[in-house]
Amino acid sequence: MLALGTIINREISQISRFLALLLDEQEALKTATPEALPKIHDEKFILVDQLNELEIERSKLTPGSPASSARERMDLWMAEHPQEIQIAAQWQHLIQLCQEAKQQNILNARLVHLHLERTNQALSILSRDTNESVLYGSNGQAAQYMGRRIVDLA
């Protein structure tokens, strides 16, 4: 079993990689390059598994019931080991990185939602019946398509 400080350092390393992937995901969403997303998703999935395993290892070394949160368990551990200043600093750094990852993930979800809205709007426009097609007349106003040519409206 690894020492607590080693586990937290590995978690910091993994969450940093996860955060970098979230930034790559954001860039792919901003630049509309969806072909990059499957690879990013696969890498994120692997990192989440690794982070879950590290959390299990850490929980074995911290006091408290299994139902307690990781923060509660670490608070208990730090109360029992006040001299472990370096581990406390590592833990705070890990929490900070997790908060950054959470915010980045929320932002990426918003970007995905925005892309979905725009795609749905485009599909809605493209799938209208021809009777509902809207064209613009010579006056610049929307005019229903009545089977006449645009030139006839001029």
Side-chain angles (χ1 to χ4, degrees), residues 40-115:
I40 292 169
H41 174 268
D42 292 345
E43 291 179 37
K44 282 173 39 181
F45 188 78
I46 291 167
L47 281 174
V48 167
D49 276 347
Q50 292 171 351
L51 284 163
N52 287 337
E53 289 296 320
L54 288 169
E55 183 177 12
I56 290 168
E57 286 295 314
R58 180 175 24 86
S59 71
K60 291 176 184 175
L61 298 175
T62 53
S65 75
S68 299
S69 74
R71 283 188 183 195
E72 292 170 339
R73 294 171 70 107
M74 280 301 296
D75 287 344
L76 283 173
W77 187 90
M78 287 187 286
E80 292 175 3
H81 301 89
Q83 73 283 4
E84 296 292 347
I85 298 168
Q86 185 177 0
I87 290 178
Q90 291 170 317
W91 176 246
Q92 290 306 313
H93 184 57
L94 178 61
I95 289 172
Q96 176 192 3
L97 290 173
C98 289
Q99 289 170 343
E100 287 178 37
K102 180 179 180 180
Q103 292 303 313
Q104 190 63 49
N105 199 43
I106 290 169
L107 177 59
N108 289 0
R110 288 181 182 155
L111 288 171
V112 167
H113 181 71
L114 181 64
H115 280 291

Side-chain angles (χ1 to χ4, degrees), residues 128-150 152-153:
R128 286 185 184 165
D129 284 339
T130 54
N131 293 338
E132 293 181 31
S133 295
V134 177
L135 297 175
Y136 292 94
S138 59
N139 61 359
Q141 299 297 314
Q144 290 289 56
Y145 176 69
M146 303 286 194
R148 298 181 294 174
R149 298 180 312 172
I150 293 175
D152 294 339
L153 296 174

Side-chain angles (χ1 to χ4, degrees), residues 6 10 15 17 64 78 86 94 142:
T6 303
R10 288 182 58 199
I15 199 72
R17 288 180 52 207
M78 287 187 286
Q86 185 177 0
L94 178 61

